[in-house]
Amino acid sequence: MATTTEPPTAFQFPPHYSFPPFFTLQPVATTRSSQLQSWSTFIQSYCRHHHIFSLSLIDALSTPLFHNTTLSRQLSLRDAKAILTWMASPEGGSRAEFISSTGNKKKAVDEGEGGRVWIYWRRPEEWAAQLEEWVDRTGQKGVVLTLYEIVEGEASVREEFAGMDMELLRMSLGVCVKRGRAQIFSSGGEGEGIKFF
Amino acid sequence: MDRRRTPGLSSLSSNRLQTHHYTSHGATLRSRNAQSLETQLSVFQSLVHNFALTHSKDIRANPAFRAEFARMCTALNIDFLASSYHREAKTSSKGGKGGAGAGGESIWASLLGGSVHDFYFNLGVTIVDICRSTRSENGGLISLSDLRTHISRGRAIGSAMTVSDADIEQAVKALEPLGSCFGIVKIGHRSLIRSVPKELNTDQSTVLEAVQVMGYVTVSMLQLNLGWGRPRAVAVVEDLMADSLVWVDCQAGENEYWSPAFITGGGLR
């Protein structure tokens, strides 16, 4: 997990979190859909608060996110996978994506167990827009930035993308490139650089 | 010489004169009384007018203040909510006591520019909105306190408002003429807003009542406490579950059925 600096304020758990049945996927379709929606909102705000960009399913099961120790209720692996699958679907707003090690998307869902998942509390397109806005705001257009500088540099310490997962950053910058707003080039060994224009 | 003791016919005429004077004086007094009452009323009315105008923000914003204001109006036999759509009836009932008031239009509509009952209509719309959006979660039954937290949180920016339970009841009542299925049902000690045209049967309300007390029920609890057979208990909770009125929790040994009203209240344990 890409946890960086722990925010000083404690995360405010939603009221659903202290409702025992919330940790059992409801069998009735309408209830279930509202439950999935609540889970999705909860997971996104949790990840946003803790600056988590991707989850490893197995490890996440024992974290406070999926395990409420005061209630001794825990989401089962199967249910957690169901929720994330729903989040990854268009119906769930594509707020998650299974990361595959082989590059095959279909397979990534099946891998499940040890699988890692992007949690898109901002989607790559939204990150791209935010990066562009940041570059614009700080007058760094036309300047060559290293990727490391973007996520770890002093200029971005207060930004939401500080400490961002490199892979996600590359995906987001890829969107910028596709839009014709930036260009990525590698400077040989020193890591990649990017120029916005 | 004592004039009052005049004997003879002349005394008769003076007597008549006296009564005449008395009656005319009485009439003047009465009319003066009525006049002063009328002035008082119009003064009072303009005062209430000014009051409502200067404090219309408070009336909207402060539930305690609004309740007091409403109480004063009820004490004066003025139903300011009804005044908007029973305009005719209002004016006639007003005519008796208000006198100088309302020519043709209800006092409150003209005084407050409709802001007070607008307030309740707005609240009604908000309530409908919340009931609809939470229906899949709670099956169309939402507790008053729940609704209040939703309202105070507000959906859009600036739409948050503080309201009292009485306000909500008033607003739900205001929805009734629309012929919608909105209503208030009492289960146990709690009032719930019902937004589905569903009638609960006795078994279902009994179970829901038990749920309100404990937070949850299990099939064996129902069997023990109500003396029901297992099939009956199972059938009722499954019915309730199908309507999203209870949520199931499978991690406690025996399945527990929780009321979604406890989502905002937090778990009981």
Side-chain angles (χ1 to χ4, degrees):
Chain A
M1 260 180 283
T3 345
T4 49
T5 45
E6 219 33 48
T9 49
F11 177 69
Q12 178 92 41
F13 283 99
H16 292 87
Y17 190 68
S18 42
F19 185 57
F22 192 50
F23 294 86
T24 301
L25 264 198
Q26 296 301 306
V28 178
T30 48
T31 323
R32 189 194 185 93
S33 73
S34 116
Q35 188 187 15
L36 289 171
Q37 188 57 58
S38 304
W39 263 112
S40 168
T41 320
F42 169 45
I43 292 173
Q44 283 175 53
S45 58
Y46 182 89
C47 290
R48 181 193 304 251
H49 185 88
H50 293 285
H51 260 256
I52 297 169
F53 297 93
S54 68
L55 288 177
S56 151
L57 254 187
I58 281 279
D59 296 341
L61 279 181
S62 48
T63 64
L65 176 63
F66 290 138
H67 190 174
N68 185 337
T69 40
T70 41
L71 290 180
S72 62
R73 290 289 182 278
Q74 186 175 8
L75 208 62
S76 70
L77 180 61
R78 199 167 47 102
D79 288 351
K81 224 161 95 182
I83 289 169
L84 289 166
T85 315
W86 183 82
M87 279 173 77
S89 71
E91 194 192 354
S94 312
R95 285 292 165 183
E97 192 184 327
F98 286 87
I99 307 167
S100 76
S101 37
T102 53
N104 184 343
K105 270 196 183 175
K106 269 259 167 65
K107 253 209 167 142
V109 182
D110 300 332
E111 271 174 31
E113 316 294 286
R116 277 160 46 83
V117 188
W118 293 119
I119 304 295
Y120 291 144
W121 39 282
R122 283 191 200 292
R123 295 191 41 71
E125 301 90 69
E126 293 164 355
W127 281 121
Q130 202 170 31
L131 284 164
E132 279 170 30
E133 191 265 338
W134 173 70
V135 166
D136 199 28
R137 177 154 44 85
T138 50
Q140 301 188 80
K141 275 192 177 178
V143 182
V144 177
L145 299 160
T146 63
L147 298 202
Y148 181 81
E149 194 179 345
I150 291 180
V151 291
E152 307 287 353
E154 261 175 43
S156 65
V157 126
R158 290 168 168 279
E159 303 299 322
E160 272 187 323
F161 50 80
M164 194 181 195
D165 193 287
M166 272 299 169
E167 199 139 335
L168 183 58
L169 179 65
R170 246 176 236 124
M171 268 158 54
S172 312
L173 291 174
V175 176
C176 295
V177 173
K178 242 185 214 163
R179 284 182 189 159
R181 298 285 180 77
Q183 194 186 359
I184 296 185
F185 41 86
S186 46
S187 50
E190 285 280 300
E192 293 144 295
I194 183 144
K195 192 159 103 176
F196 282 86
F197 37 77
Chain B
M1 201 198 281
D2 197 348
R3 279 185 146 258
R4 269 178 287 182
R5 284 199 200 156
T6 42
L9 279 177
S10 62
S11 87
L12 275 180
S13 78
S14 90
N15 220 351
R16 205 169 45 224
L17 211 67
Q18 240 168 13
T19 0
H20 176 72
H21 276 304
Y22 278 136
T23 35
S24 69
H25 189 62
T28 351
L29 270 183
R30 224 176 304 139
S31 75
R32 202 182 301 155
N33 245 349
Q35 233 166 30
S36 79
L37 261 181
E38 211 159 284
T39 3
Q40 270 180 29
L41 258 176
S42 66
V43 167
F44 174 72
Q45 204 196 349
S46 70
L47 279 180
V48 173
H49 187 162
N50 285 340
F51 181 83
L53 281 186
T54 46
H55 295 276
S56 67
K57 228 179 223 162
D58 293 330
I59 293 179
R60 279 160 167 273
N62 185 347
F65 189 73
R66 182 165 58 245
E68 281 301 303
F69 189 68
R71 209 175 53 81
M72 187 185 83
C73 291
T74 15
L76 293 169
N77 207 10
I78 300 166
D79 181 0
F80 60 85
L81 180 63
S83 64
S84 55
Y85 47 89
H86 296 314
R87 195 157 283 175
E88 259 70 339
K90 192 78 247 171
T91 339
S92 60
S93 77
K94 182 118 301 156
K97 41 185 299 316
E105 206 182 316
S106 94
I107 278 196
W108 294 103
S110 60
L111 281 193
L112 298 177
S115 63
V116 166
H117 44 255
D118 269 8
F119 171 84
Y120 282 105
F121 290 151
N122 282 341
L123 185 56
V125 171
T126 318
I127 289 174
V128 173
D129 200 35
I130 291 168
C131 286
R132 276 176 179 269
S133 63
T134 58
R135 193 173 291 168
S136 60
E137 189 172 281
N138 56 31
L141 268 186
I142 186 167
S143 69
L144 269 186
S145 51
D146 240 3
L147 194 56
R148 214 176 43 221
T149 27
H150 272 285
I151 293 172
S152 63
R153 222 178 294 145
R155 322 226 114 229
I157 297 161
S159 76
M161 42 187 167
T162 9
V163 294
S164 67
D165 286 352
D167 285 333
I168 294 178
E169 277 172 31
Q170 191 82 285
V172 171
K173 248 179 247 155
L175 293 172
E176 264 162 28
L178 298 174
S180 60
C181 46
F182 282 83
I184 296 177
V185 286
K186 282 217 178 287
I187 294 179
H189 301 293
R190 292 160 65 117
S191 306
L192 298 143
I193 314 289
R194 178 179 52 83
S195 58
V196 283
K198 188 182 159 57
E199 292 292 331
L200 295 170
N201 65 34
T202 345
D203 280 6
Q204 287 170 332
S205 357
T206 315
V207 170
L208 281 183
E209 199 173 327
V211 169
Q212 305 295 349
V213 179
M214 299 287 300
Y216 68 97
V217 290
T218 63
V219 169
S220 61
M221 265 165 65
L222 293 177
Q223 280 177 276
L224 268 176
N225 292 307
L226 300 170
W228 288 358
R230 189 177 171 81
R232 182 174 176 193
V234 170
V236 173
V237 287
E238 289 203 334
D239 261 8
L240 288 174
M241 210 161 73
D243 288 328
S244 310
L245 289 171
V246 293
W247 287 37
V248 64
D249 173 22
C250 303
Q251 295 180 33
E254 191 185 3
N255 282 3
E256 287 177 358
Y257 298 90
W258 288 76
S259 155
F262 277 85
I263 289 179
T264 39
L268 272 188
R269 25 179 100 189

